[in-house]
Amino acid sequence: MTATTRERLVVTGPIPDELRNLLSRTHELVELADARPDEPFRIAVTTSMKGFDAATMDRIPGLKMIACNGVGLDKIDLPAAEQRGIRVDNTPGVLTEDVADAAIGLMFAIARRIVEADRFVRAHRWGPEKMPLSRRISGGSLGVVGMGQIGQAIARRGQGLGMTVRYTTPNAKPELPWEHVADVAALAEQSDVLILACPGGPQTAGMINRAVLEKLGPQGFLINVARGEVVDEDALIEALAARSIGGAALDVYRSEPNIDPSFFDLDNVVLQPHYAALTAETRADIASKLDRDIAAFLAETV
């Protein structure tokens, strides 16, 4: 690519404005729906939520790189990409701290009834009524499901709050200072707060089921900043309605953005619109990383 040539990048779905604006400075962006049949592109841009399947790879001749806005790769067919010699770049590490902050914020929101208290005051109920008591965070027990970068950042924050931290993963990580628990049900039984920070995909789909929620119990709180499919939502809604768990705070759902309306009738759940990573700083950092990755790839392939 010469200094005056603008690389044509194919965009396979909606991408954040920050990324679109940055890439548009030096490249030409073409929506997949507007591309000519069998039009070749070396680079495609997608998001973790949109993903990339083998059929889409085969639709784009000459594809050599998929630039993914986000950490999760569970919706990208990695074996198919490897088989076709397509490089996949995502943005690990960029959003770690913001997602961990959001997980802790959701923990406070549900356990200390922060959102409920806001509604209570706005409804002019303060005075005629008294707010129900909330639950203490410091000194409690925190269970973290998944111990990647985000899980470890959550664990550090929990430890800083004086919580006893335990975690579960398929294999223990002896280098970490926290206790490993063999399975998620045992971890739930030992936790006041259970935070999900694991990958999505078939291996974790429905992991948080009725049995796990029963172990979490009526004083336990569930926080999900992982993937919606990790939780059996029917079981969760039943548990929240029956108050057989203390409450939940959710950033992700089985069907986004059209979430189960049953959640709206429950006052012991805090709902957030897949928002944990959405700070201005993270959005800018993600766009910058993908822009650098694309530039490096083009430099390597000149």
Side-chain angles (χ1 to χ4, degrees):
M1 186 175 69
T2 67
T4 57
T5 302
R6 289 166 61 87
E7 182 78 16
R8 287 164 60 81
L9 313 181
V10 62
V11 180
T12 63
I15 60 174
D17 290 342
E18 295 83 355
L19 179 60
R20 181 177 295 278
N21 293 338
L22 183 58
L23 294 180
S24 295
R25 294 178 187 176
T26 50
H27 309 293
E28 181 181 350
L29 304 188
V30 180
E31 302 301 320
L32 181 60
D34 298 330
R36 299 188 308 273
D38 297 325
E39 182 175 2
F41 294 91
R42 290 193 290 175
I43 301 170
V45 183
T46 189
T47 66
S48 290
M49 294 309 299
K50 174 65 175 176
F52 216 107
D53 60 19
T56 306
M57 296 177 199
D58 291 337
R59 180 181 169 182
I60 306 170
L63 185 63
K64 296 298 180 184
M65 176 186 184
I66 297 171
C68 177
N69 182 97
V71 172
L73 296 174
D74 47 287
K75 293 187 177 181
I76 296 179
D77 191 334
L78 295 177
E82 183 178 10
Q83 184 181 34
R84 291 160 176 76
I86 300 171
R87 166 177 161 177
V88 178
D89 284 47
N90 62 337
T91 55
V94 175
L95 47 72
T96 297
E97 303 304 325
D98 283 337
V99 174
D101 284 347
I104 298 300
L106 287 170
M107 176 175 69
F108 276 101
I110 188 63
R112 295 304 308 270
R113 298 180 180 264
I114 292 172
V115 177
E116 184 181 350
D118 178 81
R119 293 195 298 262
F120 184 86
V121 173
R122 291 175 186 273
H124 306 286
R125 295 169 60 191
W126 187 21
E129 302 177 50
K130 291 185 178 180
M131 270 284 297
L133 298 177
S134 64
R135 293 282 307 285
R136 179 183 295 164
I137 293 296
S138 59
S141 55
L142 171 63
V144 183
V145 180
M147 263 290 147
Q149 293 184 39
I150 292 172
Q152 292 179 43
I154 291 169
R156 289 193 298 270
R157 284 159 172 75
Q159 187 174 33
L161 292 168
M163 303 184 80
T164 299
V165 177
R166 301 180 182 89
Y167 72 97
T168 189
T169 54
N171 298 295
K173 299 189 175 187
E175 70 276 13
L176 298 180
W178 308 294
E179 178 186 349
H180 179 261
V181 179
D183 63 81
V184 68
L187 181 65
E189 191 170 26
Q190 299 177 64
S191 301
D192 296 313
V193 180
L194 188 68
I195 299 184
L196 309 182
C198 55
Q203 291 184 329
T204 57
M207 174 190 291
I208 307 303
N209 53 27
R210 285 177 175 82
V212 172
L213 294 171
E214 287 174 6
K215 295 291 187 182
L216 187 59
Q219 302 300 315
F221 298 100
L222 177 71
I223 315 297
N224 191 5
V225 293
R227 285 286 184 261
E229 64 265 22
V230 175
V231 177
D232 178 341
E233 284 191 357
D234 295 332
L236 176 59
I237 289 168
E238 288 176 13
L240 290 167
R243 298 193 178 272
S244 57
I245 66 170
L250 309 174
D251 184 55
V252 290
Y253 310 87
R254 178 174 57 195
S255 178
E256 300 178 10
N258 302 311
I259 73 172
D260 192 319
S262 298
F263 283 120
F264 303 146
D265 298 325
L266 299 167
D267 62 6
N268 55 346
V269 61
V270 172
L271 307 174
Q272 190 169 263
H274 204 143
Y275 196 68
L278 298 186
T279 67
E281 293 83 358
T282 280
R283 276 287 186 86
D285 290 345
I286 286 174
S288 294
K289 182 185 184 302
L290 286 184
D291 186 48
R292 292 194 304 270
D293 288 350
I294 290 170
F297 170 78
L298 293 173
E300 293 167 5
T301 55
V302 166

